[in-house]
């Protein structure tokens, strides 16, 4: 295989609103757009994203959220600007500890409730001593997480 590209297919209840959201999310136009289907071929990150019109979408389920990891805080800030210009509701976090990593991020939610984050990892592991199998000082007390990750 010479090209590896992730494919995500989402059910959506309003194709027009969803296309508008994903145009803002990724800054690209769909390569295919029908009354009941849209396809985005996103070069970076390599993603084949399709939207399939359905009468209803069950929120929740096994999916927590979706995300795009970028290389710099400037790229997160560019996403914030793009989302704000598109009128999307957003939530930003700077220097937040999530998933045992220090990150800057922005959150947006698509019209069907799928939560997306664009984030940069600034410190990959903030608690390496807590890794399973790590040697831990017997006097060290491990504190439970105070909040769920990626809330």
């Amino acid at each position: 295989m010479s090209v590896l590209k992730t494919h995500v297919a989402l059910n959506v209840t309003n194709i027009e609103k969803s296309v508008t959201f994903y145009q803002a999310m990724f800054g690209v136009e769909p390569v295919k757009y029908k009354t009941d289907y849209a396809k985005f071929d996103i070069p970076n990150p390599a993603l084949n994203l399709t939207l399939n019109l359905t009468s209803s979408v069950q929120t929740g389920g096994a999916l927590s959220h979706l995300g795009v990891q970028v290389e710099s805080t400037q790229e997160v800030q560019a996403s914030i600007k793009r989302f704000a210009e598109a009128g999307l509701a957003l939530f930003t976090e700077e220097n937040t500890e999530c998933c045992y990593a220090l990150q800057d991020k922005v959150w947006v939610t698509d019209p069907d409730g799928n939560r997306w984050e664009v984030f940069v990892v600034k410190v990959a592991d903030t608690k390496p001593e807590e890794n399973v199998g790590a040697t831990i000082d017997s006097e060290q007390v491990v504190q439970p997480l105070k909040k769920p990750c990626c809330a």
Side-chain angles (χ1 to χ4, degrees), residues 28-82:
V28 299
E29 299 290 319
V31 295
K32 193 181 297 182
Y33 187 3
K34 311 293 185 185
T35 59
D36 62 348
Y37 175 87
K39 177 182 177 183
F40 290 85
D41 190 11
I42 301 153
N44 190 13
L47 176 64
N48 171 341
L49 174 68
T50 59
L51 309 176
N52 301 287
L53 187 62
T54 187
S55 60
S56 66
V57 173
Q58 181 179 356
T59 57
L63 180 65
S64 171
H65 66 279
L66 301 155
V68 177
Q69 183 173 348
V70 295
E71 293 183 6
S72 69
T73 295
Q74 292 75 20
E75 289 178 89
V76 173
Q77 291 168 343
S79 295
I80 292 168
K81 182 179 181 207
R82 188 172 65 251

